[in-house]
């Protein structure tokens, strides 16, 4: 009921809507409307009441609560079931639990803060309260397990397009799982899977988006390698609107993959890449070498031209080599 009241108040933005009209439209008593309005006020919604005019919404709290997400969601399946936490260890860990219990595809886990957020290779992810989008999405795709790693590339395309269109920030994708702006990390993506030999049980795509973290708030060890949309634009951005844009973009691209396969997405990834054409260091568990990132193949692997010929990079960490000392920061803290 409170979600419906919020939707009506937003639909009459800048205007008053009477308790009588709300009562009639929602088929409840005016007393019930008043009680729900009081509850919304207690949750941080600035709702002004006028004895003759009714109610108007002046300001909503900067939260990614289910009521807020439902009020602006444009996707049809992603985000229709929401597990929300004020703070949580890791949204990916929670998403894997509910996925194993059979939650429907498109279920999301979102938190205001993470205490043990994770990136690739078990690295930590700075996830302060109310400053970013800490999100995991559960998918149950029909394709084979060997195609699952390409879901990271799919998500990177979706998030990059959402940030570019909504925030007007010309970010790009670093293979395999980061989104950068001028060499600094804006977004990290972590994809995890449960599968049988020939079928995927579920895929969880975790995304950490640095939205409204100020440059001064990043820990010293991240200050030179991480950034946020706020730091780039010098103004805060609606986390809620960006989250809903990300879900809409991801749903469109995911549906395209199911219809047409990954080939179109991989081509789009190439146009958004900041890795291709760059000198890179390939840091693996047993070796390290340098070369030029040429392209990605149909499996999403990075092809690197080295002095010893073309190398295919499937696992390991790739960092963009500085072009001059101190000129470009390494971005290998995925």
């Amino acid at each position: 009921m409170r979600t419906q009241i919020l939707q009506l108040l937003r639909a009459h933005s800048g205007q008053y809507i009477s308790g009588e009209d709300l009562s009639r439209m929602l088929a409840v008593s005016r007393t019930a409307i008043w009680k729900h309005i009081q509850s919304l006020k207690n949750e941080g919604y600035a709702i002004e009441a006028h004895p003759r005019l009714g109610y108007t919404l002046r300001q909503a709290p900067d939260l990614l609560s289910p009521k807020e997400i439902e009020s602006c969601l444009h996707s049809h399946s992603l985000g229709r079931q929401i597990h929300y936490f004020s703070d949580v260890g890791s949204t990916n860990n929670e998403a894997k639990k509910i996925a194993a219990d059979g939650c429907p595809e498109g279920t999301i886990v979102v938190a205001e803060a993470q205490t043990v957020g994770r990136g690739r290779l078990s690295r930590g992810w700075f996830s302060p309260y109310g400053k970013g989008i800490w999100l995991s999405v559960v998918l149950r795709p029909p394709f084979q397990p060997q195609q699952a790693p390409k879901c990271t590339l799919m998500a990177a395309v979706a998030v990059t397009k959402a940030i570019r269109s909504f925030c007007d920030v010309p970010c790009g994708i670093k293979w395999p799982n980061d989104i950068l702006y001028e060499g600094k990390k804006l977004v990290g993506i972590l994809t995890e899977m449960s599968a049988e030999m020939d079928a995927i049980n579920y895929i969880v795509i975790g995304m950490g988006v640095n939205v409204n973290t100020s440059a001064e708030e990043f820990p010293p060890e991240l200050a030179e390698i991480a950034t946020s949309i706020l730091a780039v634009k010098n103004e805060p951005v609606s986390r809620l609107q960006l989250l809903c844009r990300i879900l809409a973009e991801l749903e469109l691209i995911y549906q395209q993959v199911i219809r047409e396969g990954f080939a179109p997405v991989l081509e789009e990834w190439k146009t958004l890449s900041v890795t291709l054409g760059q000198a890179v260091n390939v840091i693996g568990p047993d070796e390290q070498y340098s070369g030029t990132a040429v392209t990605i193949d149909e499996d999403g692997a990075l092809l690197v031209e080295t002095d010893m010929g073309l190398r295919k990079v499937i696992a390991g960490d790739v960092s963009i080599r500085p072009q001059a000392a101190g000129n470009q920061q390494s971005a290998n803290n995925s």
Side-chain angles (χ1 to χ4, degrees), residues 21-331:
D21 285 341
L22 287 170
S23 173
R24 175 177 46 80
M25 287 185 280
L26 298 176
V28 297
S29 69
R30 292 181 64 176
T31 300
I33 294 294
W34 181 86
K35 289 181 178 179
H36 285 300
I37 292 288
Q38 299 313 302
S39 295
L40 288 169
K41 287 182 176 181
N42 291 336
E43 292 175 17
Y45 292 89
I47 300 174
E48 184 177 302
H50 191 285
R52 290 190 297 274
L53 300 176
Y55 304 101
T56 185
L57 178 64
R58 295 301 186 192
Q59 188 175 359
D62 183 27
L63 296 175
L64 300 179
S65 64
K67 284 194 295 293
E68 287 296 292
I69 294 172
E70 289 163 3
S71 72
C72 76
L73 201 60
H74 304 297
S75 48
H76 297 289
S77 61
L78 301 193
R80 292 300 167 180
Q81 284 207 14
I82 303 166
H83 290 249
Y84 171 77
F85 296 88
S86 177
D87 63 83
V88 73
S90 159
T91 60
N92 259 33
N93 286 349
E94 295 298 323
K96 287 188 291 183
K97 291 177 187 176
I98 62 174
D101 288 338
C103 74
E105 180 172 68
T107 297
I108 67 171
V109 177
V110 63
E112 300 295 345
Q114 293 182 114
T115 56
V116 288
R118 294 181 294 118
R120 261 181 92 242
L121 305 178
S122 298
R123 295 181 177 125
W125 186 268
F126 181 56
S127 312
Y129 186 93
K131 298 293 185 176
I133 296 172
W134 324 124
L135 167 72
S136 295
V137 179
V138 177
L139 299 180
R140 299 187 185 278
F143 41 79
Q144 295 296 304
Q146 58 266 30
Q147 293 186 299
K150 287 182 278 189
C151 286
T152 299
L153 308 183
M154 175 183 73
V157 170
V159 177
T160 301
K161 291 177 68 174
I163 293 174
R164 284 186 167 201
S165 62
F166 181 72
C167 305
D168 194 29
V169 172
C171 52
I173 307 170
K174 168 186 167 282
W175 188 92
N177 69 321
D178 293 334
I179 297 171
L180 310 181
Y181 174 78
E182 294 187 349
K184 291 188 174 184
K185 185 182 300 188
L186 273 175
V187 182
I189 299 170
L190 176 64
T191 301
E192 299 183 273
M193 175 181 68
S194 169
E196 308 298 332
M197 185 68 70
D198 59 352
I200 295 173
N201 297 323
Y202 63 79
I203 286 176
V204 169
I205 302 177
M207 291 163 269
V209 186
N210 299 329
V211 183
N212 291 326
T213 307
S214 67
E216 295 76 19
E217 290 176 298
F218 284 106
E221 66 271 17
L222 299 180
E224 295 300 319
I225 58 177
T227 190
S228 69
I229 295 169
L230 170 66
V232 172
K233 293 180 65 68
N234 292 315
E235 60 182 15
V237 169
S238 169
R239 295 185 301 140
L240 175 66
Q241 296 291 334
L242 179 55
L243 167 64
C244 291
R245 184 69 66 91
I246 288 170
L247 291 174
E249 289 283 0
L250 182 58
E251 183 172 275
L252 284 173
I253 294 174
Y254 179 52
Q255 290 172 344
Q256 181 186 33
V257 166
I258 291 175
R259 291 193 311 268
E260 305 173 30
F262 278 98
V265 173
L266 296 184
E267 288 305 311
E268 195 164 16
W269 186 95
K270 294 174 187 177
T271 69
L272 298 172
S273 170
V274 295
T275 299
L276 301 185
Q278 298 297 310
V280 297
N281 295 323
V282 179
I283 305 168
D286 302 315
E287 63 175 339
Q288 178 175 337
Y289 57 89
S290 300
T292 300
V294 178
T295 188
I296 55 172
D297 66 13
E298 62 182 9
D299 297 318
L302 185 68
L303 302 183
V304 177
E305 187 66 53
T306 73
D307 292 339
M308 303 297 291
L310 198 64
R311 301 284 298 269
K312 181 174 180 176
V313 184
I314 298 175
D317 198 11
V318 176
S319 61
I320 298 175
R321 180 193 299 159
Q323 298 302 305
N327 184 46
Q328 187 176 5
Q329 297 293 332
S330 172

